Amino acid sequence: PGSILGGLLGGGNSSTYRVNVFTIGGQLQYHLYRFPKLDTYTTVRAGYNFISVIEDGANNVDFLGVDVPGFEYFAGAGARYYFTPHLAFYGEVGNSILSPFHINFGGTFRF
């Protein structure tokens, strides 16, 4: 690693890292259609991450690596509300290997 002054003046060593993660897995859901326009469900996902790290620049001996788990999972519950037959908004809460409390929001469009 270069000094702070050398880094500010452009004389220090620097590195950039590109982390690529490709995940393959599966998902199971159980849907409970109890109310019109509302789809409630439970979900379980599991997969495996393929990770590659590419370093560009000076070799950085202080780089500790990337802490991405190889195996990942998510278990939770969610709800999807249909504003129209083709457009919906959803939210999920649950537990994953990445965080003990996981929140996910998004939209759904059907053709």
Side-chain angles (χ1 to χ4, degrees):
S3 68
I4 294 174
L5 185 57
L8 291 174
L9 298 176
N13 297 330
S14 66
S15 297
T16 58
Y17 298 92
R18 183 172 53 187
V19 179
N20 297 316
V21 180
F22 175 77
T23 305
I24 189 165
Q27 174 173 291
L28 295 172
Q29 289 185 334
Y30 180 73
H31 292 262
L32 302 168
Y33 297 103
R34 306 264 179 186
F35 306 102
K37 296 188 175 186
L38 184 65
D39 172 20
T40 55
Y41 57 91
T42 59
T43 185
V44 175
R45 287 190 291 266
Y48 186 80
N49 295 319
F50 297 92
I51 305 150
S52 68
V53 178
I54 299 169
E55 181 179 8
D56 184 28
N59 187 17
N60 186 352
V61 295
D62 294 331
F63 182 63
L64 299 176
V66 179
D67 190 20
V68 177
F71 174 76
E72 72 173 49
Y73 67 87
F74 173 78
R80 181 177 295 117
Y81 182 79
Y82 285 91
F83 296 102
T84 70
H86 302 287
L87 183 64
F89 179 76
Y90 72 89
E92 296 175 338
V93 295
N95 180 287
S96 75
I97 197 167
L98 300 174
S99 67
F101 185 70
H102 186 92
I103 300 175
N104 185 26
F105 293 101
T108 301
F109 180 75
R110 289 183 175 178
F111 291 98

mmCIF file of all heavy atoms in Angstrom, residues 77-104:
data_model
loop_
_atom_site.group_PDB
_atom_site.id
_atom_site.type_symbol
_atom_site.label_atom_id
_atom_site.label_comp_id
_atom_site.label_asym_id
_atom_site.label_seq_id
_atom_site.Cartn_x
_atom_site.Cartn_y
_atom_site.Cartn_z
ATOM 1 N N ALA A 77 -42.206 -15.190 4.316
ATOM 2 C CA ALA A 77 -43.604 -15.060 3.919
ATOM 3 C C ALA A 77 -43.765 -13.759 3.149
ATOM 4 O O ALA A 77 -43.015 -12.809 3.353
ATOM 5 C CB ALA A 77 -44.511 -15.069 5.143
ATOM 6 N N GLY A 78 -44.749 -13.747 2.273
ATOM 7 C CA GLY A 78 -44.957 -12.557 1.473
ATOM 8 C C GLY A 78 -46.401 -12.387 1.062
ATOM 9 O O GLY A 78 -47.249 -13.263 1.284
ATOM 10 N N ALA A 79 -46.660 -11.235 0.481
ATOM 11 C CA ALA A 79 -47.992 -10.922 -0.029
ATOM 12 C C ALA A 79 -47.839 -10.130 -1.317
ATOM 13 O O ALA A 79 -46.929 -9.313 -1.452
ATOM 14 C CB ALA A 79 -48.794 -10.128 0.987
ATOM 15 N N ARG A 80 -48.741 -10.399 -2.251
ATOM 16 C CA ARG A 80 -48.757 -9.710 -3.542
ATOM 17 C C ARG A 80 -50.164 -9.162 -3.740
ATOM 18 O O ARG A 80 -51.134 -9.903 -3.706
ATOM 19 C CB ARG A 80 -48.380 -10.684 -4.661
ATOM 20 C CG ARG A 80 -48.350 -10.073 -6.027
ATOM 21 C CD ARG A 80 -47.898 -11.077 -7.081
ATOM 22 N NE ARG A 80 -46.517 -11.469 -6.847
ATOM 23 C CZ ARG A 80 -46.121 -12.706 -6.560
ATOM 24 N NH1 ARG A 80 -46.988 -13.681 -6.476
ATOM 25 N NH2 ARG A 80 -44.855 -12.962 -6.363
ATOM 26 N N TYR A 81 -50.263 -7.841 -3.952
ATOM 27 C CA TYR A 81 -51.559 -7.202 -4.181
ATOM 28 C C TYR A 81 -51.658 -6.783 -5.644
ATOM 29 O O TYR A 81 -50.800 -6.050 -6.148
ATOM 30 C CB TYR A 81 -51.736 -5.986 -3.272
ATOM 31 C CG TYR A 81 -53.082 -5.344 -3.447
ATOM 32 C CD1 TYR A 81 -54.199 -5.891 -2.852
ATOM 33 C CD2 TYR A 81 -53.236 -4.212 -4.241
ATOM 34 C CE1 TYR A 81 -55.447 -5.322 -3.021
ATOM 35 C CE2 TYR A 81 -54.475 -3.637 -4.422
ATOM 36 C CZ TYR A 81 -55.581 -4.198 -3.817
ATOM 37 O OH TYR A 81 -56.818 -3.639 -3.993
ATOM 38 N N TYR A 82 -52.722 -7.246 -6.309
ATOM 39 C CA TYR A 82 -52.943 -6.943 -7.725
ATOM 40 C C TYR A 82 -53.810 -5.703 -7.869
ATOM 41 O O TYR A 82 -54.976 -5.695 -7.493
ATOM 42 C CB TYR A 82 -53.605 -8.132 -8.429
ATOM 43 C CG TYR A 82 -52.653 -9.265 -8.672
ATOM 44 C CD1 TYR A 82 -52.490 -10.283 -7.734
ATOM 45 C CD2 TYR A 82 -51.873 -9.293 -9.821
ATOM 46 C CE1 TYR A 82 -51.587 -11.306 -7.953
ATOM 47 C CE2 TYR A 82 -50.975 -10.306 -10.052
ATOM 48 C CZ TYR A 82 -50.839 -11.313 -9.117
ATOM 49 O OH TYR A 82 -49.939 -12.319 -9.328
ATOM 50 N N PHE A 83 -53.217 -4.638 -8.410
ATOM 51 C CA PHE A 83 -53.977 -3.422 -8.708
ATOM 52 C C PHE A 83 -54.847 -3.630 -9.938
ATOM 53 O O PHE A 83 -55.950 -3.103 -10.016
ATOM 54 C CB PHE A 83 -53.021 -2.243 -8.943
ATOM 55 C CG PHE A 83 -52.213 -1.893 -7.731
ATOM 56 C CD1 PHE A 83 -50.901 -2.291 -7.620
ATOM 57 C CD2 PHE A 83 -52.779 -1.176 -6.688
ATOM 58 C CE1 PHE A 83 -50.158 -1.978 -6.507
ATOM 59 C CE2 PHE A 83 -52.047 -0.858 -5.573
ATOM 60 C CZ PHE A 83 -50.729 -1.262 -5.474
ATOM 61 N N THR A 84 -54.312 -4.359 -10.910
ATOM 62 C CA THR A 84 -55.042 -4.760 -12.108
ATOM 63 C C THR A 84 -54.726 -6.245 -12.307
ATOM 64 O O THR A 84 -53.860 -6.791 -11.632
ATOM 65 C CB THR A 84 -54.582 -3.959 -13.352
ATOM 66 O OG1 THR A 84 -53.259 -4.367 -13.710
ATOM 67 C CG2 THR A 84 -54.632 -2.458 -13.104
ATOM 68 N N PRO A 85 -55.405 -6.919 -13.238
ATOM 69 C CA PRO A 85 -55.072 -8.329 -13.474
ATOM 70 C C PRO A 85 -53.631 -8.545 -13.962
ATOM 71 O O PRO A 85 -53.113 -9.652 -13.893
ATOM 72 C CB PRO A 85 -56.064 -8.758 -14.559
ATOM 73 C CG PRO A 85 -57.221 -7.838 -14.390
ATOM 74 C CD PRO A 85 -56.636 -6.527 -13.952
ATOM 75 N N HIS A 86 -52.963 -7.489 -14.410
ATOM 76 C CA HIS A 86 -51.612 -7.623 -14.956
ATOM 77 C C HIS A 86 -50.526 -6.941 -14.129
ATOM 78 O O HIS A 86 -49.339 -7.118 -14.394
ATOM 79 C CB HIS A 86 -51.553 -7.056 -16.377
ATOM 80 C CG HIS A 86 -52.510 -7.715 -17.301
ATOM 81 N ND1 HIS A 86 -52.324 -8.998 -17.768
ATOM 82 C CD2 HIS A 86 -53.680 -7.293 -17.829
ATOM 83 C CE1 HIS A 86 -53.326 -9.329 -18.555
ATOM 84 N NE2 HIS A 86 -54.166 -8.312 -18.605
ATOM 85 N N LEU A 87 -50.881 -6.141 -13.122
ATOM 86 C CA LEU A 87 -49.907 -5.347 -12.378
ATOM 87 C C LEU A 87 -50.100 -5.537 -10.878
ATOM 88 O O LEU A 87 -51.212 -5.360 -10.364
ATOM 89 C CB LEU A 87 -50.054 -3.862 -12.737
ATOM 90 C CG LEU A 87 -49.071 -2.896 -12.104
ATOM 91 C CD1 LEU A 87 -47.653 -3.205 -12.574
ATOM 92 C CD2 LEU A 87 -49.446 -1.470 -12.457
ATOM 93 N N ALA A 88 -48.999 -5.885 -10.189
ATOM 94 C CA ALA A 88 -49.066 -6.134 -8.746
ATOM 95 C C ALA A 88 -47.822 -5.597 -8.055
ATOM 96 O O ALA A 88 -46.777 -5.381 -8.675
ATOM 97 C CB ALA A 88 -49.219 -7.616 -8.462
ATOM 98 N N PHE A 89 -47.935 -5.403 -6.765
ATOM 99 C CA PHE A 89 -46.832 -5.001 -5.897
ATOM 100 C C PHE A 89 -46.690 -6.068 -4.821
ATOM 101 O O PHE A 89 -47.689 -6.574 -4.314
ATOM 102 C CB PHE A 89 -47.149 -3.636 -5.267
ATOM 103 C CG PHE A 89 -46.089 -3.153 -4.333
ATOM 104 C CD1 PHE A 89 -44.900 -2.627 -4.807
ATOM 105 C CD2 PHE A 89 -46.277 -3.219 -2.968
ATOM 106 C CE1 PHE A 89 -43.919 -2.181 -3.935
ATOM 107 C CE2 PHE A 89 -45.304 -2.782 -2.093
ATOM 108 C CZ PHE A 89 -44.119 -2.262 -2.580
ATOM 109 N N TYR A 90 -45.459 -6.440 -4.467
ATOM 110 C CA TYR A 90 -45.282 -7.471 -3.455
ATOM 111 C C TYR A 90 -44.243 -7.071 -2.421
ATOM 112 O O TYR A 90 -43.413 -6.197 -2.652
ATOM 113 C CB TYR A 90 -44.885 -8.810 -4.094
ATOM 114 C CG TYR A 90 -43.475 -8.861 -4.622
ATOM 115 C CD1 TYR A 90 -42.422 -9.247 -3.815
ATOM 116 C CD2 TYR A 90 -43.210 -8.540 -5.943
ATOM 117 C CE1 TYR A 90 -41.130 -9.293 -4.299
ATOM 118 C CE2 TYR A 90 -41.931 -8.591 -6.431
ATOM 119 C CZ TYR A 90 -40.893 -8.959 -5.611
ATOM 120 O OH TYR A 90 -39.617 -9.003 -6.097
ATOM 121 N N GLY A 91 -44.319 -7.723 -1.288
ATOM 122 C CA GLY A 91 -43.340 -7.564 -0.225
ATOM 123 C C GLY A 91 -43.122 -8.897 0.464
ATOM 124 O O GLY A 91 -44.053 -9.701 0.586
ATOM 125 N N GLU A 92 -41.883 -9.140 0.880
ATOM 126 C CA GLU A 92 -41.527 -10.379 1.570
ATOM 127 C C GLU A 92 -40.688 -10.045 2.794
ATOM 128 O O GLU A 92 -39.899 -9.105 2.772
ATOM 129 C CB GLU A 92 -40.696 -11.300 0.673
ATOM 130 C CG GLU A 92 -41.388 -11.798 -0.544
ATOM 131 C CD GLU A 92 -40.463 -12.595 -1.448
ATOM 132 O OE1 GLU A 92 -39.229 -12.443 -1.373
ATOM 133 O OE2 GLU A 92 -41.009 -13.382 -2.241
ATOM 134 N N VAL A 93 -40.860 -10.813 3.849
ATOM 135 C CA VAL A 93 -40.006 -10.736 5.024
ATOM 136 C C VAL A 93 -39.572 -12.145 5.373
ATOM 137 O O VAL A 93 -40.310 -13.108 5.138
ATOM 138 C CB VAL A 93 -40.698 -10.071 6.237
ATOM 139 C CG1 VAL A 93 -41.014 -8.621 5.963
ATOM 140 C CG2 VAL A 93 -41.949 -10.815 6.631
ATOM 141 N N GLY A 94 -38.369 -12.257 5.908
ATOM 142 C CA GLY A 94 -37.903 -13.585 6.270
ATOM 143 C C GLY A 94 -36.495 -13.565 6.800
ATOM 144 O O GLY A 94 -35.974 -12.531 7.218
ATOM 145 N N ASN A 95 -35.884 -14.728 6.750
ATOM 146 C CA ASN A 95 -34.546 -14.937 7.272
ATOM 147 C C ASN A 95 -33.687 -15.517 6.167
ATOM 148 O O ASN A 95 -34.110 -16.417 5.454
ATOM 149 C CB ASN A 95 -34.621 -15.900 8.464
ATOM 150 C CG ASN A 95 -33.270 -16.172 9.066
ATOM 151 O OD1 ASN A 95 -32.468 -16.878 8.487
ATOM 152 N ND2 ASN A 95 -33.028 -15.600 10.223
ATOM 153 N N SER A 96 -32.461 -14.997 6.028
ATOM 154 C CA SER A 96 -31.545 -15.534 5.030
ATOM 155 C C SER A 96 -30.154 -15.643 5.630
ATOM 156 O O SER A 96 -29.884 -15.112 6.701
ATOM 157 C CB SER A 96 -31.513 -14.646 3.787
ATOM 158 O OG SER A 96 -30.785 -13.473 4.030
ATOM 159 N N ILE A 97 -29.270 -16.298 4.910
ATOM 160 C CA ILE A 97 -27.893 -16.428 5.372
ATOM 161 C C ILE A 97 -27.178 -15.078 5.322
ATOM 162 O O ILE A 97 -26.226 -14.839 6.041
ATOM 163 C CB ILE A 97 -27.138 -17.497 4.554
ATOM 164 C CG1 ILE A 97 -25.879 -17.917 5.297
ATOM 165 C CG2 ILE A 97 -26.838 -17.013 3.153
ATOM 166 C CD1 ILE A 97 -25.242 -19.165 4.748
ATOM 167 N N LEU A 98 -27.656 -14.163 4.482
ATOM 168 C CA LEU A 98 -27.034 -12.850 4.361
ATOM 169 C C LEU A 98 -27.433 -11.909 5.486
ATOM 170 O O LEU A 98 -26.676 -11.015 5.847
ATOM 171 C CB LEU A 98 -27.380 -12.229 3.007
ATOM 172 C CG LEU A 98 -26.931 -13.035 1.799
ATOM 173 C CD1 LEU A 98 -27.440 -12.402 0.520
ATOM 174 C CD2 LEU A 98 -25.426 -13.159 1.778
ATOM 175 N N SER A 99 -28.634 -12.066 6.039
ATOM 176 C CA SER A 99 -29.075 -11.221 7.143
ATOM 177 C C SER A 99 -30.154 -11.947 7.942
ATOM 178 O O SER A 99 -30.979 -12.656 7.374
ATOM 179 C CB SER A 99 -29.623 -9.890 6.620
ATOM 180 O OG SER A 99 -30.802 -10.097 5.891
ATOM 181 N N PRO A 100 -30.171 -11.758 9.272
ATOM 182 C CA PRO A 100 -31.189 -12.432 10.077
ATOM 183 C C PRO A 100 -32.601 -11.889 9.831
ATOM 184 O O PRO A 100 -33.573 -12.591 10.044
ATOM 185 C CB PRO A 100 -30.741 -12.191 11.509
ATOM 186 C CG PRO A 100 -29.800 -11.049 11.448
ATOM 187 C CD PRO A 100 -29.217 -11.026 10.070
ATOM 188 N N PHE A 101 -32.714 -10.648 9.376
ATOM 189 C CA PHE A 101 -34.007 -10.064 9.048
ATOM 190 C C PHE A 101 -33.914 -9.524 7.635
ATOM 191 O O PHE A 101 -33.183 -8.580 7.371
ATOM 192 C CB PHE A 101 -34.373 -8.963 10.042
ATOM 193 C CG PHE A 101 -35.742 -8.411 9.820
ATOM 194 C CD1 PHE A 101 -36.862 -9.172 10.102
ATOM 195 C CD2 PHE A 101 -35.921 -7.142 9.317
ATOM 196 C CE1 PHE A 101 -38.133 -8.672 9.898
ATOM 197 C CE2 PHE A 101 -37.192 -6.630 9.108
ATOM 198 C CZ PHE A 101 -38.294 -7.397 9.402
ATOM 199 N N HIS A 102 -34.632 -10.137 6.724
ATOM 200 C CA HIS A 102 -34.529 -9.835 5.300
ATOM 201 C C HIS A 102 -35.856 -9.267 4.815
ATOM 202 O O HIS A 102 -36.905 -9.860 5.056
ATOM 203 C CB HIS A 102 -34.191 -11.133 4.560
ATOM 204 C CG HIS A 102 -33.911 -10.966 3.116
ATOM 205 N ND1 HIS A 102 -32.649 -10.769 2.630
ATOM 206 C CD2 HIS A 102 -34.727 -10.961 2.050
ATOM 207 C CE1 HIS A 102 -32.706 -10.660 1.320
ATOM 208 N NE2 HIS A 102 -33.948 -10.778 0.941
ATOM 209 N N ILE A 103 -35.820 -8.128 4.119
ATOM 210 C CA ILE A 103 -37.019 -7.500 3.542
ATOM 211 C C ILE A 103 -36.799 -7.346 2.050
ATOM 212 O O ILE A 103 -35.728 -6.921 1.609
ATOM 213 C CB ILE A 103 -37.286 -6.119 4.168
ATOM 214 C CG1 ILE A 103 -37.502 -6.234 5.669
ATOM 215 C CG2 ILE A 103 -38.492 -5.464 3.520
ATOM 216 C CD1 ILE A 103 -37.641 -4.899 6.358
ATOM 217 N N ASN A 104 -37.817 -7.690 1.277
ATOM 218 C CA ASN A 104 -37.741 -7.586 -0.169
ATOM 219 C C ASN A 104 -39.051 -7.005 -0.688
ATOM 220 O O ASN A 104 -40.120 -7.469 -0.320
ATOM 221 C CB ASN A 104 -37.495 -8.986 -0.765
ATOM 222 C CG ASN A 104 -37.281 -8.955 -2.247
ATOM 223 O OD1 ASN A 104 -36.856 -7.959 -2.804
ATOM 224 N ND2 ASN A 104 -37.562 -10.075 -2.892
#
